């Protein structure tokens, strides 16, 4: 299995911040408007935008615009890629070929 190093790094960068982990947990319940994320987190709108850009660029989260608001949800494909890479490391770490 071949992994693109840059894309894999982007995925794991998305998991390397407490606020982004909190956002992922909030999105476990389904799609949320950015306004709802702001209500749930103690961060500013520009800070939320920064975190959402990282999450969306990593493809761990999907975003869609409706009117003036952005709505975000978890990306099953992006999460699956993260899991596949971890499974690959575990397998290779055990010496499996």
């Amino acid at each position: 299995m071949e992994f693109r190093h840059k894309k894999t790094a982007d995925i794991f960068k998305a998991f390397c911040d407490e606020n982004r982990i909190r956002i992922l947990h909030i999105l476990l319940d389904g799609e949320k408007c950015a306004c709802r994320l702001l209500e749930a987190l103690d961060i500013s709108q520009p800070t939320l935008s920064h975190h959402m850009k990282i999450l969306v660029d990593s493809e761990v989260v999907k975003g869609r615009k409706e009117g003036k608001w952005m709505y975000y949800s978890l990306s099953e494909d992006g999460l699956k890629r993260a899991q596949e890479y971890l499974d690959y490391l575990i397998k290779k770490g055990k010496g499996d070929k």
Side-chain angles (χ1 to χ4, degrees):
M1 180 175 287
E2 185 176 322
F3 292 95
R4 297 184 331 206
H5 296 296
K6 171 70 170 113
K7 193 60 178 170
T8 302
D10 288 345
I11 290 170
F12 286 95
K13 178 181 178 180
F15 295 114
C16 291
D17 181 89
E18 181 180 351
N19 284 316
R20 291 193 289 272
I21 296 298
R22 290 174 64 206
I23 291 166
L24 293 173
H25 278 264
I26 292 167
L27 295 177
L28 285 172
D29 291 335
E31 183 180 71
K32 298 286 185 290
C33 174
C35 60
R36 298 291 172 242
L37 293 172
L38 278 173
E39 289 173 1
L41 303 165
D42 188 25
I43 59 176
S44 68
Q45 189 280 325
T47 300
L48 177 64
S49 292
H50 167 76
H51 288 305
M52 297 317 297
K53 178 173 176 20
I54 291 169
L55 289 165
V56 170
D57 286 351
S58 73
E59 299 179 2
V60 171
V61 168
K62 300 181 287 188
R64 68 175 182 85
K65 189 168 179 75
E66 185 175 304
K68 67 176 186 169
W69 292 106
M70 284 296 295
Y71 289 81
Y72 297 99
S73 60
L74 295 175
S75 166
E76 189 175 328
D77 290 340
L79 293 172
K80 190 179 292 186
R81 278 192 296 280
Q83 181 177 3
E84 287 171 354
Y85 187 68
L86 289 173
D87 290 344
Y88 168 81
L89 290 176
I90 291 167
K91 182 178 178 181
K92 290 295 184 178
K94 291 180 179 179
D96 296 345
K97 301 295 179 205

